[in-house]
Amino acid sequence: RLSFSSLTSEAHGQLTYADPASDPLPRQDGDDTPSEPTDDPADESAPASVAATPARLFSFPAGAKTGTGWHAILEQVDFQGPPEGRRETVLRLLAQHHLDQAATPDLCEDRRQLALAMVEAALILPLPRLLLPGTEPAVPSAAAAPRQPPTANSQPATPATHHLLAGIAWEQRIVEMSFYFPLPDAGLSLAGIAAVLAQHQPAWQAPAPIRAVIAEWRSQMPGPAEAQALSGFMMGFIDLVFQGEDKRWYLLDWKSNTLDGTPASFTLPRLHQEMAKHRYFLQYLIYIVALDRHLRQTLPGYDYDRDFGGVYYVFLRGLLEPGATCLMADRPPRAMIAALDAVMAAAPNDLRRAAP
């Protein structure tokens, strides 16, 4: 039987069940602490030929070790700082996490250069400014841009339609933002979440693999929702929250997944499959609910349509591959986030804000 914790235990910044009156649920195979991501536990069995391939990000081992090291690097680099400062940070953390080690000195140097190139590529990756129907765009020239479903960034990059992490200052970003809030006394059911997602699918426009997962959840839980409900507290860590040049707030999650272990696997359909396979779409929807709650309580006059910009999932191993798709972007409809918030809400006198 599906459980909420098992659906999210694979993902970095995982959402875990905790009941303050009892011990947490037993850990699942592949579970890890929020500070040590396991983006794709199955990556540990990546073919040896992939791990031995020189001069590619695939030469870094699959699994939590690489994911933890890369996350640490991207948390600590100064996006707007001098290149020599970023170089020092990357090389220091690469050594600290033993990711600069390989079979030969040449391969060790390859890893250093690859990590440096990966960071620079991440900073200039065009991140689309996503719009919702009927809302005023942040930049007038972007008025014709439609709301995009969970998809890859394929539009030409212009200052009017995209922004870059290279333009984000330290004071505009929060790394590893934590949240912690109580679930309803009656419990949170996967069936209830699936019902909300199915109801809002026409406006959300989720791709087919995600729709299939939602349909599976509904079909496997024919009994009363209360029978599958989990109570306790929702916990999580968001890799990056930042305020863009358009003054909107965005979420970003770094992923070190190898996918099929080849550059050719970094395509839009394959990323859709990865988002569905590891339930990353559910992960980011709950991240959005948590950030939305935080902004409602801390930003005067906050309005979702005006102030929330969207969510990005960056698949790092595709950054240096020509023609590869490595970015997934989404901005779910306001009504869907409000409905998800409602099914996750505890009694009014027990609400606690998600805080960085």
Side-chain angles (χ1 to χ4, degrees):
R1 188 174 67 173
L2 291 173
S3 71
F4 188 74
S5 60
S6 68
L7 289 176
T8 57
S9 62
E10 299 172 328
H12 170 57
Q14 64 187 347
L15 308 170
T16 58
Y17 165 84
D19 186 341
S22 62
D23 291 333
L25 291 177
R27 296 174 64 79
Q28 308 283 332
D29 290 341
D31 277 8
D32 215 331
T33 63
S35 60
E36 295 188 0
T38 51
D39 288 340
D40 187 355
D43 284 353
E44 296 289 3
S45 60
S49 60
V50 172
T53 301
R56 282 187 174 173
L57 290 171
F58 294 98
S59 66
F60 286 87
K65 179 179 178 180
T66 295
T68 301
W70 285 0
H71 277 78
I73 289 170
L74 291 161
E75 288 168 14
Q76 296 189 37
V77 293
D78 186 345
F79 296 166
Q80 292 190 318
E84 57 269 23
R86 284 197 297 275
R87 176 182 177 85
E88 186 280 328
T89 300
V90 171
L91 296 183
R92 172 174 52 84
L93 291 170
L94 207 64
Q96 180 178 318
H97 290 269
H98 307 291
L99 290 174
D100 59 350
Q101 300 176 3
T104 69
D106 285 346
L107 290 178
C108 291
E109 182 59 23
D110 280 343
R111 285 195 176 184
R112 297 185 189 100
Q113 295 305 316
L114 283 166
L116 290 166
M118 177 188 74
V119 170
E120 296 304 312
L123 297 186
I124 60 172
L125 178 67
L127 302 173
R129 299 183 183 183
L130 306 176
L131 302 178
L132 291 169
T135 62
E136 289 295 326
V139 180
S141 60
R147 194 202 81 82
Q148 299 170 352
T151 184
N153 173 26
S154 58
Q155 295 180 329
T158 70
T161 60
H162 295 73
H163 46 229
L164 309 177
L165 290 181
I168 305 301
W170 274 113
E171 57 269 22
Q172 295 173 278
R173 53 190 277 210
I174 304 170
V175 297
E176 289 295 318
M177 175 179 167
S178 64
F179 61 87
Y180 181 80
F181 59 82
L183 297 175
D185 290 340
L188 174 68
S189 72
L190 194 59
I193 292 175
V196 168
L197 300 185
Q199 177 185 354
H200 292 273
Q201 166 55 29
W204 184 30
Q205 303 173 25
I210 292 176
R211 296 200 305 272
V213 171
I214 296 169
E216 179 184 1
W217 288 347
R218 301 191 78 187
S219 67
Q220 291 187 4
M221 295 193 169
E226 292 78 7
Q228 296 89 26
L230 293 176
S231 59
F233 290 78
M234 187 72 72
M235 306 164 60
F237 295 82
I238 305 171
D239 286 349
L240 177 63
V241 174
F242 68 92
Q243 187 177 36
E245 295 177 356
D246 57 2
K247 304 304 181 184
R248 295 183 178 187
W249 291 91
Y250 295 83
L251 307 175
L252 188 147
D253 203 89
W254 306 108
K255 294 299 179 189
S256 63
N257 305 45
T258 60
L259 276 66
D260 296 334
T262 64
S265 62
F266 281 75
T267 65
L268 178 58
R270 186 63 184 82
L271 289 192
H272 285 166
Q273 294 171 11
E274 198 77 354
M275 296 295 290
K277 173 183 176 182
H278 297 291
R279 285 40 172 170
Y280 291 152
F281 68 94
L282 180 57
Q283 182 187 40
Y284 75 66
L285 290 173
I286 297 176
Y287 286 178
I288 294 172
V289 168
L291 180 61
D292 181 71
R293 289 186 179 191
H294 175 61
L295 292 176
R296 275 191 277 129
Q297 297 186 45
T298 60
L299 185 63
Y302 167 74
D303 179 83
Y304 179 92
D305 289 338
R306 184 189 65 235
D307 298 316
F308 177 70
V311 58
Y312 305 113
Y313 270 51
V314 179
F315 289 80
L316 294 165
R317 293 185 195 259
L319 278 173
L320 303 181
E321 301 297 336
T325 298
C326 58
L327 174 66
M328 298 291 295
D330 190 20
R331 190 167 182 236
R334 176 179 190 159
M336 188 173 84
I337 297 303
L340 285 173
D341 182 272
V343 301
M344 296 180 196
N349 61 355
D350 196 26
L351 285 176
R352 307 172 194 180
R353 72 181 179 92

